[in-house]
Amino acid sequence: MDGRLKEQQEFYDRGWRGELARGKEQRGNLRTNLDFLAQTNLLKPGDHVLEIGCGIGTIVFELTKQGCDVCGTDISQVAIEYGRGKYEGIRLDVQPAEELAFDDGAFDVVLSFDLFEHIARIDLHVAEVGRVLKAGGYYLFQTPNKWSNAISETLTHKTLKWRRAHPSLHTPGQLRRRLAKHGFETRFVKMNPVNEFTKGKFKKLGPLGRMVERLDFRKLPLGLQTNLYVVARKVG
């Protein structure tokens, strides 16, 4: 692991250590992410599945129960060790998203949630996903929409320092073009992210947040989605 990746690991280890000390095990919209996987209907029992940026491994645990052959990776040693203690019998490894220790074509499906936006050298990551996927395999992931996230993060934190943690935010068009460069064809799935997890975040936006939580995001244009749910098929 090179110096930049080691620095990332230390950064996310600190974050996970603090979150877990406060009793917070999930750092993303777990319910909507699982609903997205169910809606795509692409995962089958026996599929070889990799989740990159798996955190403590909750999705790995859930998909293992459904009969998938799943492995989870995360750059945070703290998160992986916690997950190994919480969930018995699942495979979790410490690996950066830009350097995957798997053979070419090892997986039918690769997953990531709230990961894409955090990776500064994003082309290295997408190339690695393409390498470990079988021909015709899928990269299913969720990442914040650049249009909405830049506004909400700035309003919430009243600073632009959040950009350190989100160096690779994309608009829908930017995502489609970047993935195409690496041999993927892409479609988007509109999800309604409003649940107890997101309502807590919307409260920080005051009256604007109360208005937003009443929306059905599935009826809004793609550019107005808070998060982009992506189905990318390896064709090249």
Side-chain angles (χ1 to χ4, degrees):
M1 192 182 298
D2 66 24
R4 279 189 285 185
L5 292 176
K6 191 66 177 175
E7 184 179 345
Q8 284 183 35
Q9 184 179 59
E10 292 170 355
F11 177 77
Y12 289 109
D13 274 347
R14 286 194 301 272
W16 272 108
R17 196 173 290 114
E19 296 286 281
L20 292 172
R22 291 188 288 274
K24 184 178 179 181
E25 293 184 334
Q26 304 301 329
R27 305 185 73 179
N29 196 336
L30 176 63
R31 181 68 266 155
T32 307
N33 295 340
L34 289 171
D35 289 345
F36 163 68
L37 294 180
Q39 186 168 319
T40 63
N41 198 33
L42 291 170
L43 292 169
K44 305 180 297 296
D47 277 352
H48 295 283
V49 180
L50 170 65
E51 185 188 5
I52 307 173
C54 68
I56 67 170
T58 303
I59 288 179
V60 174
F61 176 70
E62 293 294 332
L63 294 181
T64 299
K65 290 194 299 182
Q66 296 175 25
C68 294
D69 182 5
V70 194
C71 179
T73 64
D74 200 282
I75 197 170
S76 172
Q77 181 79 39
V78 171
I80 292 298
E81 289 180 353
Y82 184 92
R84 287 171 177 167
K86 181 178 178 67
Y87 301 116
E88 293 185 5
I90 66 172
R91 289 180 295 155
L92 302 177
D93 294 315
V94 179
Q95 294 184 34
E98 302 92 327
E99 296 178 0
L100 300 173
F102 300 105
D103 292 337
D104 295 358
F107 297 98
D108 300 291
V109 180
V110 173
L111 313 173
S112 75
F113 297 98
D114 295 294
L115 168 81
F116 203 91
E117 67 276 10
H118 294 286
I119 303 172
R121 292 180 288 177
I122 193 62
D123 283 306
L124 291 180
H125 167 66
V126 179
E128 278 291 86
V129 171
R131 182 184 66 78
V132 303
L133 269 176
K134 297 177 181 178
Y138 288 91
Y139 183 23
L140 309 178
F141 69 98
Q142 173 267 113
T143 185
N145 184 353
K146 182 177 182 178
W147 296 125
S148 58
N149 190 257
I151 295 170
S152 65
E153 291 284 355
T154 303
L155 289 174
T156 299
H157 300 290
K158 298 179 176 60
T159 176
L160 295 178
K161 290 182 179 180
W162 56 266
R163 291 186 298 182
R164 179 189 176 190
H166 285 181
S168 290
L169 287 171
H170 286 65
T171 66
Q174 289 170 337
L175 268 180
R176 197 185 300 275
R177 289 189 293 274
R178 187 175 297 279
L179 289 162
K181 184 172 66 173
H182 291 276
F184 288 93
E185 60 180 18
T186 301
R187 65 181 175 91
F188 297 89
V189 177
K190 293 180 184 179
M191 302 295 298
N192 191 357
V194 179
N195 53 33
E196 292 308 310
F197 171 78
T198 48
K199 284 180 180 178
K201 299 182 72 173
F202 290 151
K203 285 180 181 178
K204 298 177 182 179
L205 298 176
L208 176 61
R210 290 192 292 274
M211 181 183 70
V212 169
E213 72 178 41
R214 291 195 290 268
L215 297 174
D216 183 348
F217 284 86
R218 293 166 296 187
K219 297 178 180 179
L220 297 178
L222 187 62
L224 295 180
Q225 302 297 305
T226 60
N227 295 77
L228 302 172
Y229 283 84
V230 183
V231 177
R233 181 174 176 269
K234 179 182 173 180
V235 294

